[in-house]
Amino acid sequence: MNKLPLLRGTLIELFPWRDAPGRPGMQSRETQLAVWCPFCARFHLHGWDPADDGKVKTHRVAHCCDGPFCEHGYYVSVWRKKDPEYIGHVVKPGTKFERSKP
């Protein structure tokens, strides 16, 4: 199998506050990561923890069935500070959104 590609994307919005799994009395928020698919020419949206920066990559299943991503998926990550696209993040990567439950 060929090495899976890494698609970097932009953090675009926050989900509502939710109870943090395994952390009683704490709530956290996650974001949507928008990555551009070069095969279907659309953005694919994936959940992403805003505390993770550009060093973290995770495997995802493609939202389209065109091209080589259909069978094996790809890795996603956020833009890094050194990438020109970094400025487009609505939520800056590496920002932890956690609070005590109100």
Side-chain angles (χ1 to χ4, degrees):
M1 183 174 88
N2 292 335
K3 184 177 176 181
L4 296 178
L6 172 63
L7 303 180
R8 292 197 182 268
T10 304
L11 295 178
I12 58 169
E13 65 185 45
L14 289 171
F15 286 118
W17 288 100
R18 298 189 177 152
D19 291 343
R23 305 246 356 224
M26 298 297 289
Q27 291 186 322
S28 63
R29 294 176 88 176
E30 292 189 357
T31 55
Q32 286 285 317
L33 177 65
V35 295
W36 181 255
C37 178
F39 294 99
C40 72
R42 294 184 308 164
F43 282 100
H44 295 188
L45 300 177
H46 298 282
W48 188 263
D49 184 344
D52 292 338
D53 61 14
K55 296 176 187 172
V56 175
K57 66 179 185 178
T58 61
H59 180 263
R60 301 300 168 97
V61 174
H63 291 185
C64 64
C65 270
D66 294 333
F69 298 159
C70 183
E71 189 174 347
H72 299 291
Y74 47 76
Y75 287 98
V76 297
S77 188
V78 293
W79 297 113
R80 300 161 294 184
K81 285 185 180 180
K82 66 181 181 179
D83 297 322
E85 297 87 353
Y86 181 84
I87 196 166
H89 288 300
V90 173
V91 178
K92 298 302 180 205
T95 304
K96 189 172 183 177
F97 284 92
E98 191 172 80
R99 68 177 184 185
S100 296
K101 198 170 182 176

